[in-house]
Amino acid sequence: MTEHIEIDEELIAIRHHLHAHPERSFREFETTVYLERQLADHGIEILDNPMETGVVALIEGAAGPGPRVALRADIDGLPIEEDSALDFQSENTGVMHGCGHDLHMTGLLGAAFWLAAHRDRFSGSILIVFQPAEETGLGAKAMIEAGLLDGVDAIIGTHNNPNYAPGQIAIGAEPMMAGCVRFNVTLHAEGTHAGYPHKGTGPIEALASMILSLQTIVSRNVSPFHPLVLSITEVHGGHVWNVVPAEAGFQGTVRYFHKEDGELVGRRFRTVAEQTAAAYGIRADVDWDDFQDPLASDPDLAMALASEVSDYAQLEPIRPSMAGEDFCEYTKVTLPVFAFVGSNGIEGCPDWHSPHFVGLDESIPTFVNFYVNAALRVLKELH
């Protein structure tokens, strides 16, 4: 039997407060205090956390011993100046919940409140995890290294998705979010007077050739049926109009869904960068950080949860996202389940990381119902 949970104005007020007070990754100090206070006010045990930010709490079931399932929400904002026109938009200059983590926190709080009030409905225990620093890709790893996920048999996570409407959920066995590479290339040359370019080995021409050549890696090396993106997002070199600089560079990202594609791009990337530099008589240093794997749920658990979604929401097919999610780190230590929850659905609405991003309050009940029903079902599956 699935649960059908109605939310009240308390959760709407919580969401508005969290949205208006975003904080950057690993600086979520006020957010941490606020979350702890909300949990404590509902009689939920807060566990010791050696990290400076983030919250871990425990709800023990009253129906007997059993497995331990974690519910996770991320809590950090982005370095974006909000321009959403919401009545409760960010009060913190230059910081915004432009990825909807305020919705995630609110949904998990609502689920925690219900689960704490209905301990008789389950055996085992539920760990409530409010994770810092998802946007930097470092928060999940830090929580694992701190031992905060020790003894957890499965973990359930969500991400709002404005491309789905409130009341819609996408969950399944196929990959949902992309693997991520962060790259940086530095070109070392011989600077000179701009009027005497033959006396140096300036890096600007090599940089331009390199950027154009790198764009052919995807189109000429990887199957067109495999999603893959290589984006150069920042270029720098020189500060003075009449000096050929001795150094220049660029950085960007690669997103992939097949691990072998990420590895192939890495090899081709180094070859193009280093050999193009050599052709211009300079040197290229390539920093290639393949820091995040594609995110996919445990197939058995995902299908078990998907079978119940239609009882309280509308089940939708997964439309994979080229964005990354450090929830993938948890897959290395426990069984993962992840879902998209619709947060807007209006055609042409701004997406994540836009200053105009708007997640709707109407999505909060779906978060609460998914977290609760997913926790109860996974506990039963593991029992």
Side-chain angles (χ1 to χ4, degrees), residues 256-269:
Y256 62 87
F257 276 92
H258 297 83
K259 191 66 176 179
E260 63 271 19
D261 291 346
E263 293 168 352
L264 183 150
V265 174
R267 294 192 299 272
R268 294 292 298 133
F269 190 100

PDB file of all heavy atoms in Angstrom, residues 256-269:
ATOM      1  N   TYR A 256      29.594  12.515 -20.890  1.00  0.00           N
ATOM      2  CA  TYR A 256      29.446  11.249 -21.607  1.00  0.00           C
ATOM      3  C   TYR A 256      28.548  10.294 -20.828  1.00  0.00           C
ATOM      4  O   TYR A 256      28.350  10.450 -19.615  1.00  0.00           O
ATOM      5  CB  TYR A 256      30.823  10.607 -21.827  1.00  0.00           C
ATOM      6  CG  TYR A 256      31.548  10.252 -20.548  1.00  0.00           C
ATOM      7  CD1 TYR A 256      31.343   9.028 -19.911  1.00  0.00           C
ATOM      8  CD2 TYR A 256      32.429  11.151 -19.943  1.00  0.00           C
ATOM      9  CE1 TYR A 256      31.990   8.709 -18.729  1.00  0.00           C
ATOM     10  CE2 TYR A 256      33.077  10.846 -18.760  1.00  0.00           C
ATOM     11  CZ  TYR A 256      32.851   9.623 -18.152  1.00  0.00           C
ATOM     12  OH  TYR A 256      33.474   9.309 -16.970  1.00  0.00           O
ATOM     13  N   PHE A 257      28.018   9.279 -21.538  1.00  0.00           N
ATOM     14  CA  PHE A 257      27.215   8.243 -20.905  1.00  0.00           C
ATOM     15  C   PHE A 257      27.845   6.859 -21.002  1.00  0.00           C
ATOM     16  O   PHE A 257      27.377   5.925 -20.354  1.00  0.00           O
ATOM     17  CB  PHE A 257      25.804   8.212 -21.510  1.00  0.00           C
ATOM     18  CG  PHE A 257      24.879   9.220 -20.892  1.00  0.00           C
ATOM     19  CD1 PHE A 257      24.733  10.478 -21.439  1.00  0.00           C
ATOM     20  CD2 PHE A 257      24.176   8.921 -19.744  1.00  0.00           C
ATOM     21  CE1 PHE A 257      23.898  11.414 -20.863  1.00  0.00           C
ATOM     22  CE2 PHE A 257      23.339   9.846 -19.154  1.00  0.00           C
ATOM     23  CZ  PHE A 257      23.197  11.098 -19.713  1.00  0.00           C
ATOM     24  N   HIS A 258      28.872   6.718 -21.813  1.00  0.00           N
ATOM     25  CA  HIS A 258      29.582   5.446 -21.956  1.00  0.00           C
ATOM     26  C   HIS A 258      31.031   5.678 -21.532  1.00  0.00           C
ATOM     27  O   HIS A 258      31.728   6.524 -22.094  1.00  0.00           O
ATOM     28  CB  HIS A 258      29.521   4.941 -23.394  1.00  0.00           C
ATOM     29  CG  HIS A 258      28.127   4.650 -23.866  1.00  0.00           C
ATOM     30  ND1 HIS A 258      27.288   5.637 -24.351  1.00  0.00           N
ATOM     31  CD2 HIS A 258      27.410   3.489 -23.911  1.00  0.00           C
ATOM     32  CE1 HIS A 258      26.131   5.091 -24.687  1.00  0.00           C
ATOM     33  NE2 HIS A 258      26.173   3.797 -24.424  1.00  0.00           N
ATOM     34  N   LYS A 259      31.475   4.934 -20.540  1.00  0.00           N
ATOM     35  CA  LYS A 259      32.801   5.151 -19.971  1.00  0.00           C
ATOM     36  C   LYS A 259      33.885   5.068 -21.038  1.00  0.00           C
ATOM     37  O   LYS A 259      34.858   5.841 -21.011  1.00  0.00           O
ATOM     38  CB  LYS A 259      33.065   4.120 -18.867  1.00  0.00           C
ATOM     39  CG  LYS A 259      34.305   4.417 -18.025  1.00  0.00           C
ATOM     40  CD  LYS A 259      34.146   5.677 -17.204  1.00  0.00           C
ATOM     41  CE  LYS A 259      35.345   5.923 -16.299  1.00  0.00           C
ATOM     42  NZ  LYS A 259      35.220   7.162 -15.518  1.00  0.00           N
ATOM     43  N   GLU A 260      33.733   4.136 -21.989  1.00  0.00           N
ATOM     44  CA  GLU A 260      34.755   3.999 -23.026  1.00  0.00           C
ATOM     45  C   GLU A 260      34.835   5.249 -23.904  1.00  0.00           C
ATOM     46  O   GLU A 260      35.902   5.576 -24.435  1.00  0.00           O
ATOM     47  CB  GLU A 260      34.479   2.763 -23.884  1.00  0.00           C
ATOM     48  CG  GLU A 260      33.188   2.779 -24.669  1.00  0.00           C
ATOM     49  CD  GLU A 260      31.999   2.217 -23.920  1.00  0.00           C
ATOM     50  OE1 GLU A 260      32.069   2.145 -22.675  1.00  0.00           O
ATOM     51  OE2 GLU A 260      31.000   1.844 -24.581  1.00  0.00           O
ATOM     52  N   ASP A 261      33.721   5.971 -24.060  1.00  0.00           N
ATOM     53  CA  ASP A 261      33.747   7.223 -24.815  1.00  0.00           C
ATOM     54  C   ASP A 261      34.569   8.272 -24.086  1.00  0.00           C
ATOM     55  O   ASP A 261      35.365   9.001 -24.695  1.00  0.00           O
ATOM     56  CB  ASP A 261      32.332   7.758 -25.032  1.00  0.00           C
ATOM     57  CG  ASP A 261      31.524   6.909 -25.979  1.00  0.00           C
ATOM     58  OD1 ASP A 261      32.120   6.059 -26.669  1.00  0.00           O
ATOM     59  OD2 ASP A 261      30.288   7.096 -26.038  1.00  0.00           O
ATOM     60  N   GLY A 262      34.383   8.364 -22.763  1.00  0.00           N
ATOM     61  CA  GLY A 262      35.167   9.317 -21.981  1.00  0.00           C
ATOM     62  C   GLY A 262      36.649   9.029 -22.067  1.00  0.00           C
ATOM     63  O   GLY A 262      37.474   9.938 -22.182  1.00  0.00           O
ATOM     64  N   GLU A 263      37.007   7.754 -22.022  1.00  0.00           N
ATOM     65  CA  GLU A 263      38.430   7.384 -22.104  1.00  0.00           C
ATOM     66  C   GLU A 263      38.999   7.664 -23.486  1.00  0.00           C
ATOM     67  O   GLU A 263      40.132   8.147 -23.622  1.00  0.00           O
ATOM     68  CB  GLU A 263      38.573   5.903 -21.748  1.00  0.00           C
ATOM     69  CG  GLU A 263      38.238   5.614 -20.287  1.00  0.00           C
ATOM     70  CD  GLU A 263      38.105   4.136 -19.985  1.00  0.00           C
ATOM     71  OE1 GLU A 263      38.119   3.322 -20.950  1.00  0.00           O
ATOM     72  OE2 GLU A 263      37.977   3.783 -18.795  1.00  0.00           O
ATOM     73  N   LEU A 264      38.217   7.380 -24.552  1.00  0.00           N
ATOM     74  CA  LEU A 264      38.674   7.663 -25.906  1.00  0.00           C
ATOM     75  C   LEU A 264      38.895   9.159 -26.112  1.00  0.00           C
ATOM     76  O   LEU A 264      39.916   9.582 -26.680  1.00  0.00           O
ATOM     77  CB  LEU A 264      37.648   7.137 -26.913  1.00  0.00           C
ATOM     78  CG  LEU A 264      37.991   7.285 -28.403  1.00  0.00           C
ATOM     79  CD1 LEU A 264      37.361   6.149 -29.209  1.00  0.00           C
ATOM     80  CD2 LEU A 264      37.529   8.628 -28.976  1.00  0.00           C
ATOM     81  N   VAL A 265      37.939   9.970 -25.660  1.00  0.00           N
ATOM     82  CA  VAL A 265      38.084  11.421 -25.808  1.00  0.00           C
ATOM     83  C   VAL A 265      39.323  11.905 -25.070  1.00  0.00           C
ATOM     84  O   VAL A 265      40.054  12.769 -25.571  1.00  0.00           O
ATOM     85  CB  VAL A 265      36.826  12.150 -25.297  1.00  0.00           C
ATOM     86  CG1 VAL A 265      37.045  13.657 -25.315  1.00  0.00           C
ATOM     87  CG2 VAL A 265      35.628  11.799 -26.162  1.00  0.00           C
ATOM     88  N   GLY A 266      39.591  11.347 -23.899  1.00  0.00           N
ATOM     89  CA  GLY A 266      40.782  11.750 -23.158  1.00  0.00           C
ATOM     90  C   GLY A 266      42.063  11.489 -23.931  1.00  0.00           C
ATOM     91  O   GLY A 266      42.964  12.332 -23.969  1.00  0.00           O
ATOM     92  N   ARG A 267      42.156  10.317 -24.560  1.00  0.00           N
ATOM     93  CA  ARG A 267      43.355  10.000 -25.343  1.00  0.00           C
ATOM     94  C   ARG A 267      43.493  10.923 -26.554  1.00  0.00           C
ATOM     95  O   ARG A 267      44.563  11.461 -26.821  1.00  0.00           O
ATOM     96  CB  ARG A 267      43.301   8.540 -25.804  1.00  0.00           C
ATOM     97  CG  ARG A 267      43.374   7.511 -24.684  1.00  0.00           C
ATOM     98  CD  ARG A 267      43.620   6.118 -25.228  1.00  0.00           C
ATOM     99  NE  ARG A 267      42.557   5.656 -26.119  1.00  0.00           N
ATOM    100  CZ  ARG A 267      41.468   5.023 -25.710  1.00  0.00           C
ATOM    101  NH1 ARG A 267      41.276   4.799 -24.413  1.00  0.00           N
ATOM    102  NH2 ARG A 267      40.562   4.603 -26.582  1.00  0.00           N
ATOM    103  N   ARG A 268      42.391  11.108 -27.297  1.00  0.00           N
ATOM    104  CA  ARG A 268      42.443  11.959 -28.487  1.00  0.00           C
ATOM    105  C   ARG A 268      42.701  13.408 -28.116  1.00  0.00           C
ATOM    106  O   ARG A 268      43.396  14.137 -28.824  1.00  0.00           O
ATOM    107  CB  ARG A 268      41.133  11.836 -29.262  1.00  0.00           C
ATOM    108  CG  ARG A 268      40.876  10.473 -29.877  1.00  0.00           C
ATOM    109  CD  ARG A 268      41.875  10.192 -31.016  1.00  0.00           C
ATOM    110  NE  ARG A 268      41.729  11.153 -32.087  1.00  0.00           N
ATOM    111  CZ  ARG A 268      42.743  11.784 -32.671  1.00  0.00           C
ATOM    112  NH1 ARG A 268      43.994  11.556 -32.282  1.00  0.00           N
ATOM    113  NH2 ARG A 268      42.536  12.643 -33.639  1.00  0.00           N
ATOM    114  N   PHE A 269      42.130  13.847 -27.008  1.00  0.00           N
ATOM    115  CA  PHE A 269      42.309  15.228 -26.555  1.00  0.00           C
ATOM    116  C   PHE A 269      43.788  15.520 -26.322  1.00  0.00           C
ATOM    117  O   PHE A 269      44.328  16.536 -26.791  1.00  0.00           O
ATOM    118  CB  PHE A 269      41.516  15.449 -25.274  1.00  0.00           C
ATOM    119  CG  PHE A 269      41.420  16.881 -24.825  1.00  0.00           C
ATOM    120  CD1 PHE A 269      40.283  17.623 -25.070  1.00  0.00           C
ATOM    121  CD2 PHE A 269      42.460  17.498 -24.131  1.00  0.00           C
ATOM    122  CE1 PHE A 269      40.182  18.940 -24.650  1.00  0.00           C
ATOM    123  CE2 PHE A 269      42.374  18.797 -23.707  1.00  0.00           C
ATOM    124  CZ  PHE A 269      41.233  19.532 -23.967  1.00  0.00           C
TER     125      PHE A 269
END
